[in-house]
Amino acid sequence: MTVTSPPNPTALITGASRGLGAAIARELAPTHHLLLGARSADALAPILAELPAATGWPVALTDYPAVAAAAQSIERLDVLVHNAGVADLGTVAGSSVDQWRTTIEVNLIAVAELTRILLPALRAANGHVVLINSGAGLRANAGWSSYAASKFGLRALADALRLEEPTLRVTSIFPGRIDTDMQREIVAGEGREYRPEEFLTAETVAGAVRAAVDTPRDGHPTEIILRPR
């Protein structure tokens, strides 16, 4: 008698073309079939060359009809990692309406809508939603108002989803500042010298995602907070 091994679980990672998203993809690749999201197929080319078993999922997350169309073929989803986001920083006095709208649209509304669209697939797998939040989702600092507001909202979304969907696990991860290209842009805007040793590595945060996903089913990792040492 031939015994067929069950297929690997499926994980969709948004913002997977570089930085933390790519690190999460590398971390989950040995055990999961990966759907890797980014705004364009060209952006995904390097990580797909590195992880040829993965499948590209190129779509702009704020183009909601396109997201719905791209999600139609996903019937079962074991892990959804919300990693895509923007950090357009500014003071309350110096921030425009467009800045607020874009930040909240990308960091919160698009996350809520993608989750809603994929709920049937997540329910079918008793799946796991992992939201990459931020230390700014726990405290708001000067100059970070719109970003912190979007991340406070993301925490509220996770808390509500956890209560509304009891068959799912929902984990918010709150990393401190991470050594990524985005961080380099932030530090440049702050007018400081970039010192990578001040920040978490993307691999460390990806390891926290792995730890959450690998937690046995009798445990529900609701929040993970990481700070640079």
Side-chain angles (χ1 to χ4, degrees):
M1 181 178 68
T2 301
V3 178
T4 302
S5 299
N8 284 345
T10 297
L12 170 58
I13 304 166
T14 67
S17 63
R18 59 179 183 150
L20 178 56
I24 295 169
R26 295 183 191 102
E27 185 69 44
L28 297 184
T31 54
H32 288 72
H33 170 61
L34 299 181
L35 301 175
L36 302 183
R39 282 174 287 185
S40 70
D42 287 346
L44 285 167
I47 190 65
L48 290 175
E50 181 182 343
L51 303 174
T55 301
W57 200 73
V59 63
L61 295 176
T62 55
D63 184 346
Y64 301 120
V67 170
Q72 281 184 344
S73 62
I74 304 174
E75 297 181 354
R76 179 184 176 93
L77 185 62
D78 299 272
V79 179
L80 171 59
V81 181
H82 288 292
N83 171 70
V86 297
D88 186 4
L89 306 182
T91 64
V92 173
S95 298
S96 67
V97 169
D98 285 344
Q99 180 185 4
W100 277 88
R101 283 178 174 157
T102 298
T103 299
I104 292 175
E105 183 83 20
V106 174
N107 290 355
L108 179 58
I109 297 172
V111 173
E113 179 61 1
L114 178 59
T115 303
R116 186 193 69 80
I117 289 170
L118 290 173
L119 274 176
L122 288 161
R123 290 169 181 155
N126 292 328
H128 194 159
V129 180
V130 179
L131 300 102
I132 304 299
N133 202 296
S134 167
L138 299 172
R139 66 190 182 284
N141 293 321
W144 292 61
S145 56
S146 61
Y147 182 75
S150 72
K151 293 298 189 177
F152 268 68
L154 190 64
R155 182 185 185 187
L157 170 64
D159 291 348
L161 182 66
R162 197 177 296 116
L163 295 172
E164 293 170 0
E165 299 289 338
T167 66
L168 306 184
R169 297 198 294 181
V170 181
T171 302
S172 288
I173 296 183
F174 300 91
R177 296 171 72 163
I178 308 168
D179 177 22
T180 62
D181 291 342
M182 179 185 288
Q183 194 64 240
R184 290 180 180 274
E185 294 171 5
I186 291 171
V187 171
E190 294 171 335
R192 297 194 294 117
E193 179 186 356
Y194 191 80
R195 298 173 58 87
E197 64 272 16
E198 294 180 358
F199 309 117
L200 294 163
T201 67
E203 289 73 23
T204 293
V205 182
V209 174
R210 161 64 72 184
V213 170
D214 283 351
T215 300
R217 289 295 308 184
D218 64 315
H220 191 157
T222 58
E223 294 186 344
I224 298 174
I225 300 173
L226 292 171
R227 293 286 178 268
R229 291 189 63 181

